[in-house]
Amino acid sequence: MSIKKIVVCFIIVLLMIFPASAADISLNRWILNVTVNEDGMVDELIQVEVANSGPSPLDGISFVVPASNIIVIYDFEHTFSSKGQVVEQQIVGNGIKLTVNFNTSIKTGETWNGRIGFRAENFARKVDGNYSIEIPIDMPQAIIAGKTADIGVSQDADIRSQVFLPKGIEVTSVTPKPFRILFQNSHMVPTWTPENLHMKDTIILKGSFSEILKKIADIDERSKTLSKQIKEAKTKGIDVTESEAYLKQAEDYNTNNANSALSSFWKKDDTSALEFIGYAENELNLAEKSFATSGKTEIKATVKATGETEENNETPGFDAVSLILMIISSFMILRIIRSKP
């Protein structure tokens, strides 16, 4: 056998043993949306995009979640891909390994886009009103011909994360430093962008209960509920102008202005925060009261107007009967007079 044939056979054997390299499979997107629930359970949604530039079809990916139990959620909002996927679980030393098997292998030059959503136990830790979680941003592995292979990160990979803490839980410590800590949907949400989050990082986050933050969140939820009700009422032609004005004042006092409860909370000015919370609660109470009576007032006005019309309609009928009786009485009187000698 010639040296050339020996080299070719050697390369083929190497490809069978190591079917792909980091350069062959690249990660374009790895976005984590993590929700820590009040009971300590964690809901996670991962958005993924991987591209195959190697010679072998890509059959799937795998990664490890540091949890004791995982329930994969299959629906359009969670675990979904237009090309299909099945997720297998395997208990490993540092958690549970999830293997995402593609229904259709990804050929050379193709990409796979999908979502993997699940609920995990013992991912976060809860002790009284304190929560902590460690989220590894580990590189997934490629599955090719039944074997695992490394994945490389594309130069402009979209690596991001958001962590929604339970209502009333403030961030006490976090690494790496997030791009911003948002107050979103009545929850504290540390947020990382590709500039401050990278593969092989580990998000370490701790939070504790704050009575002031809980009050701000409660008012925020009530405001959003009333805002939705006001929009629905306006589509029905109900005048809710007064309620809208009170609601705006409440939102300004609570979260919308530089001088607000939330702004004071960020500054650790509890006295001012509580003062603004009081103003916001008062305005919101007025808004809810005004809204509750706005529809009823219009209904009463409509009923009253309808009642007046009915009375007016009845009056001509009554007058006609009276006129007829008067005519009959007059006719009878005339007959009596004429019949007398």
Side-chain angles (χ1 to χ4, degrees):
M1 182 181 291
S2 66
I3 295 178
K4 184 176 180 180
K5 289 183 177 179
I6 292 174
V7 172
V8 171
C9 290
F10 181 71
I11 292 173
I12 292 172
V13 170
L14 287 177
L15 287 173
M16 292 176 64
I17 299 173
F18 306 103
S21 67
D24 294 331
I25 311 297
S26 59
L27 184 71
N28 297 338
R29 180 183 301 123
W30 190 259
I31 302 175
L32 306 181
N33 292 278
V34 180
T35 299
V36 181
N37 296 293
E38 189 175 349
D39 60 2
M41 292 284 286
V42 172
D43 292 314
E44 182 167 348
L45 178 67
I46 307 176
Q47 300 176 54
V48 187
E49 180 182 302
V50 288
N52 183 13
S53 59
S56 303
L58 174 63
D59 300 321
I61 59 172
S62 66
F63 56 94
V64 176
V65 179
S68 62
N69 183 55
I70 287 178
I71 299 173
V72 179
I73 304 171
Y74 289 94
D75 60 34
F76 181 77
E77 298 295 330
H78 296 86
T79 301
F80 176 82
S81 169
S82 59
K83 296 181 180 180
Q85 58 182 311
V86 176
V87 181
E88 296 178 349
Q89 299 187 33
Q90 178 186 357
I91 297 176
V92 293
N94 55 341
I96 295 179
K97 182 180 181 180
L98 297 182
T99 300
V100 183
N101 299 298
F102 306 152
N103 287 5
T104 302
S105 296
I106 307 305
K107 299 177 183 178
T108 302
E110 295 181 342
T111 60
W112 181 85
N113 293 282
R115 297 188 296 271
I116 303 103
F118 54 86
R119 172 162 286 197
E121 293 182 17
N122 296 318
F123 190 174
R125 290 170 293 281
K126 175 189 177 183
V127 179
D128 298 326
N130 300 308
Y131 294 80
S132 61
I133 186 171
E134 295 186 9
I135 307 169
I137 314 299
D138 287 338
M139 183 70 67
Q141 292 276 300
I143 309 296
I144 297 176
K147 297 182 181 296
T148 59
D150 291 335
I151 295 180
V153 183
S154 62
Q155 187 173 0
D156 56 349
D158 188 5
I159 312 298
R160 287 181 284 145
S161 182
Q162 278 194 318
V163 181
F164 289 78
L165 292 172
K167 188 171 73 170
I169 302 301
E170 66 172 315
V171 176
T172 54
S173 66
V174 58
T175 56
K177 184 179 179 180
F179 166 71
R180 187 173 296 170
I181 299 178
L182 304 174
F183 182 73
Q184 185 176 337
N185 297 329
S186 307
H187 295 263
M188 283 297 176
V189 188
T191 302
W192 291 263
T193 66
E195 285 71 30
N196 45 45
L197 188 65
H198 309 89
M199 300 307 293
K200 298 185 179 181
D201 283 346
T202 298
I203 294 174
I204 301 175
L205 176 61
K206 295 181 180 180
S208 60
F209 179 76
S210 166
E211 185 66 38
I212 291 177
L213 182 59
K214 176 66 163 51
K215 289 178 182 292
I216 294 171
D218 286 342
I219 293 173
D220 189 61
E221 284 190 340
R222 286 173 58 192
S223 297
K224 284 180 168 57
T225 298
L226 181 58
S227 178
K228 183 178 179 181
Q229 293 172 338
I230 285 174
K231 288 179 181 178
E232 291 174 353
K234 289 174 74 174
T235 62
K236 299 175 183 177
I238 300 174
D239 183 8
V240 288
T241 305
E242 184 180 67
S243 183
E244 277 187 300
Y246 284 130
L247 177 60
K248 185 181 184 306
Q249 285 289 342
E251 291 174 336
D252 287 346
Y253 281 133
N254 194 44
T255 59
N256 287 357
N257 280 347
N259 294 321
S260 67
L262 183 61
S263 178
S264 299
F265 173 79
W266 291 126
K267 299 172 185 175
K268 303 298 181 183
D269 185 352
D270 292 352
T271 301
S272 295
L274 289 170
E275 184 178 356
F276 285 120
I277 286 171
Y279 296 153
E281 283 181 331
N282 183 59
E283 294 295 324
L284 186 56
N285 289 338
L286 292 172
E288 290 171 338
K289 183 178 179 180
S290 175
F291 179 79
T293 58
S294 59
K296 293 179 181 179
T297 301
E298 295 200 5
I299 291 172
K300 287 179 181 179
T302 303
V303 170
K304 183 178 179 181
T306 304
E308 288 176 352
T309 302
E310 289 174 352
E311 289 175 3
N312 292 335
N313 288 338
E314 289 173 0
T315 302
F318 176 77
D319 289 345
V321 172
S322 300
L323 182 59
I324 292 170
L325 290 174
M326 289 174 65
I327 292 170
I328 293 173
S329 299
S330 300
F331 180 74
M332 291 179 68
I333 292 171
L334 287 172
R335 287 190 62 184
I336 293 171
I337 293 172
R338 288 175 183 176
S339 62
K340 289 183 179 182

